[in-house]
Amino acid sequence: MTQPPSLAAVSVRTDQVVRIGPLTLRIASDVPDFPALRYFSRAGRMPDGTTPDMELWCLSHAVPGLPADTTARARNFASGYYVTDYFGPPVRMSSSGNRIVLVGDHLERLVWPYVVKYLLLRHTVTAGGLFLKSAALAVGDGAALIVGRGGAGKSVLVSGLCQNGDATFITNSHVVLADDSTVQGVASTMRMRTGPWLDQVGTASTSALNPRERLVDPCDAFPRHAGAAVPLRAVWIADFRAPSEYDVQQLTPDEAVSITEQFAFGLNVYRLEEDLLDLCGGDYRTFATQYERMRAQLHAAVTSCPTYRVRANVQLPPHRDQLLHLLSDGGTS
């Protein structure tokens, strides 16, 4: 893509187009080997010459003439307040059309924690669909969303069921749920805590922003990956408790809705309500319409398929086989 005139003088040292679910994003930076790219799987890196849907410029030096955004998020960045409870040096944000420019230090701290989530929200606001915080895998032609609080065992479930090719890996973190309730994942690397679960994957890893975590590329860990959307067949609430426990309980529709609305609804989980309001032009009634549309889609999807609370140790073959059977049976037994 031709550089906008105001950025023509930037010395681009990193330039890569990546796929984030239904979108393609050009990440350009004046920092060589820009560290944010390590959060994107090789499966999501697009070939040279790909025309992106969006552009993100991450610059260490200001460009004259670029006006700062007036959104709530841009004001927070300028004060050093990033995402939920994370603070850092001030960052200048300038957006125009399909281009976002960030100026500051260590901008890799914002690309995955904020920009990717914002773009998925923006896409689903304009094109329909729903952005979810969820892992996902598939058996046959059906997908299961895996939802839960941090440390509940989502990555462990995905790793254990996909490692030998028994299940197809979709995503470890972010899902776009289309209006027809098909699941499309975002090709990210997996943030895994150090310990036996990481050792079980048995592949190379790199450092993450959190020193207690390592990054594993699903391309290295799993033999089968789903790039296309897969029909939703079940929702699993990960709730690992003890290595020997196997307990799978079906939830009522009301229970399923309450849990997924708080732990999977991307707008809520990542505190993107200010971004949605700005995308709605600051109009609260438009905000309410969009919010209700997304909530209704989430409720319809979750109540149209069985939802289970899953406590299982997928390192144990009997537990793994029972879960694979549950999904291959359509999530009905």
Side-chain angles (χ1 to χ4, degrees):
M1 177 175 290
T2 302
Q3 294 183 5
S6 58
L7 298 176
V10 173
S11 177
V12 178
R13 308 293 298 278
T14 297
D15 199 346
Q16 176 68 55
V17 178
V18 296
R19 176 168 292 282
I20 52 171
L23 294 171
T24 53
L25 171 67
R26 179 190 181 191
I27 300 177
S29 178
D30 57 359
V31 176
D33 299 320
F34 185 47
L37 288 180
R38 73 181 63 170
Y39 282 87
F40 297 89
S41 169
R42 295 195 308 276
R45 299 198 180 194
M46 307 301 291
D48 293 343
T50 300
T51 301
D53 299 309
M54 294 290 301
E55 291 190 356
L56 173 65
W57 291 69
C58 295
L59 307 178
S60 58
H61 298 91
V63 176
L66 283 181
D69 288 0
T70 59
T71 61
R73 183 68 62 175
R75 293 194 299 271
N76 285 342
F77 282 176
S79 68
Y81 177 55
Y82 291 177
V83 185
T84 58
D85 58 354
Y86 184 74
F87 292 79
V91 170
R92 183 181 177 89
M93 183 177 184
S94 178
S95 306
S96 177
N98 70 338
R99 185 188 70 195
I100 298 173
V101 180
L102 300 177
V103 181
D105 298 326
H106 301 294
L107 294 174
E108 65 273 10
R109 297 170 179 170
L110 291 178
V111 175
W112 187 263
Y114 168 68
V115 174
V116 167
K117 299 165 177 57
Y118 167 75
L119 291 178
L120 291 172
L121 173 69
R122 171 173 159 160
H123 171 78
T124 53
V125 166
T126 57
L130 187 62
F131 161 46
L132 301 175
K133 178 190 179 184
S134 175
L137 53 79
V139 173
D141 65 350
L145 298 179
I146 302 176
V147 177
R149 68 189 305 176
K154 299 185 295 297
S155 296
V156 172
L157 273 175
V158 169
S159 300
L161 296 175
C162 295
Q163 188 176 2
N164 298 319
D166 299 313
T168 299
F169 178 84
I170 297 177
T171 183
N172 186 58
S173 58
H174 290 359
V175 159
V176 172
L177 187 68
D179 291 334
D180 60 356
S181 290
T182 54
V183 174
Q184 185 173 12
V186 176
S188 67
T189 49
M190 300 174 63
R191 293 186 294 120
M192 301 190 71
R193 294 173 177 84
T194 56
W197 303 110
L198 178 61
D199 297 338
Q200 184 187 18
V201 174
T203 189
S205 63
T206 58
S207 60
L209 289 178
N210 186 333
R212 295 176 298 175
E213 298 175 336
R214 303 287 293 177
L215 298 177
V216 175
D217 194 323
C219 285
D220 298 325
F222 309 124
R224 297 169 55 193
H225 304 80
V230 182
L232 178 63
R233 293 285 184 264
V235 178
W236 294 353
I237 311 300
D239 188 25
F240 180 80
R241 295 297 179 93
S244 60
E245 183 178 12
Y246 182 87
D247 184 25
V248 176
Q249 299 286 338
Q250 187 165 0
L251 303 179
T252 67
D254 286 345
E255 291 172 330
V257 166
S258 296
I259 294 168
T260 54
E261 191 169 306
Q262 293 304 314
F263 292 96
F265 193 15
L267 183 71
N268 289 346
V269 176
Y270 295 118
R271 296 300 310 272
L272 297 169
E273 67 277 2
E274 293 273 14
D275 300 274
L276 178 59
L277 183 59
D278 280 323
L279 286 170
C280 294
D283 184 86
Y284 284 100
R285 299 185 74 178
T286 304
F287 172 95
T289 298
Q290 280 287 353
Y291 185 79
E292 183 53 36
R293 192 272 303 169
M294 290 187 286
R295 286 183 69 245
Q297 183 181 350
L298 178 65
H299 290 204
V302 171
T303 56
S304 69
C305 63
T307 298
Y308 297 93
R309 187 207 65 196
V310 175
R311 294 177 179 170
N313 181 358
V314 288
Q315 286 188 313
L316 300 177
H319 291 194
R320 184 172 62 246
D321 293 344
Q322 286 174 279
L323 290 178
L324 290 168
H325 174 73
L326 184 67
L327 185 56
S328 63
D329 193 40
T332 59
S333 64

